[in-house]
């Protein structure tokens, strides 16, 4: 199991941050593992919207279907699933002023079957490589809006 939380600040109004982050198709610009991500359900983004995500981490490529399971003005949660893993991306935003937003990002990944064996190594990789890179990329993406 991987369970990583990071809290950081981006110089961006909370409304812009929220609009950008609630569309998981933007994940390639802020998630270091995501190669592609596209909406696969019809209509505007709302509870239940789904995305097809292709990620590569530590040389392993995997495809997950992500679903928006919480959609509040300052809090979104995406659940991703495939046969080897279940992933939750939980993002809470707090306004620190008109042009500053605190991001509380929590990633939780459960591995299934044979992938469970690699869990301790993957956890270490997430802590030391993926999480810091996510903070850097998400900050850059948000501040570039």
């Amino acid at each position: 199991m991987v369970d990583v939380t990071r809290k950081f600040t981006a110089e961006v109004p909370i409304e812009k941050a929220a609009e950008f982050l609630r569309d998981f198709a933007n994940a390639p610009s802020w998630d270091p593992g995501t190669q592609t991500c596209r909406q696969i359900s019809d209509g505007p983004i709302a509870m239940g919207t789904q995305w097809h995500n292709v990620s590569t981490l530590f040389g392993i490529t995997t495809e997950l279907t992500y679903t928006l399971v919480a959609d509040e003005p300052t809090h979104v949660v995406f659940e991703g699933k495939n046969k080897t893993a279940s992933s939750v991306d939980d993002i809470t935003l707090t306004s620190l002023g008109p042009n500053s937003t605190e991001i509380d990002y929590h990633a939780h990944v459960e591995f299934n079957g044979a992938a469970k064996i690699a869990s301790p190594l993957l956890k270490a990789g997430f802590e030391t490589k993926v999480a810091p890179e996510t903070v850097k990329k998400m900050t850059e993406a948000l501040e570039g809006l």
Side-chain angles (χ1 to χ4, degrees):
M1 171 182 68
V2 173
D3 200 52
V4 178
T5 300
R6 292 292 185 267
K7 191 177 280 196
F8 55 98
T9 302
E11 299 307 312
V12 61
I14 193 169
E15 298 82 11
K16 277 189 172 184
E19 181 182 344
F20 178 78
L21 292 171
R22 76 184 286 267
D23 184 352
F24 208 62
N26 291 322
S29 65
W30 61 261
D31 178 21
T34 296
Q35 303 300 303
T36 63
C37 192
R38 65 178 174 79
Q39 186 174 329
I40 55 174
S41 54
D42 292 330
I45 296 168
M47 290 281 289
T49 298
Q50 293 188 315
W51 293 263
H52 178 257
N53 179 287
V54 178
S55 293
T56 302
L57 287 170
F58 314 115
I60 300 167
T61 299
T62 187
E63 298 183 34
L64 294 99
T65 298
Y66 276 88
T67 304
L68 181 61
V69 297
D71 186 19
E72 301 165 13
T74 61
H75 182 228
V76 292
V77 179
F78 302 95
E79 289 184 355
K81 295 189 184 298
N82 69 13
K83 65 181 179 179
T84 60
S86 297
S87 177
V88 176
D89 289 72
D90 187 326
I91 305 169
T92 301
L93 306 173
T94 304
S95 178
L96 299 178
N99 293 308
S100 187
T101 302
E102 180 179 77
I103 297 96
D104 188 353
Y105 176 72
H106 181 204
H108 180 87
V109 183
E110 291 275 346
F111 297 99
N112 307 316
K116 264 187 171 178
I117 296 167
S119 190
L121 293 173
L122 294 171
K123 179 178 173 134
F126 269 84
E127 284 284 345
T128 60
K129 182 170 175 23
V130 177
E133 186 65 21
T134 300
V135 169
K136 180 179 182 270
K137 285 189 73 172
M138 190 181 289
T139 301
E140 289 172 354
L142 290 171
E143 291 181 349
L145 295 175

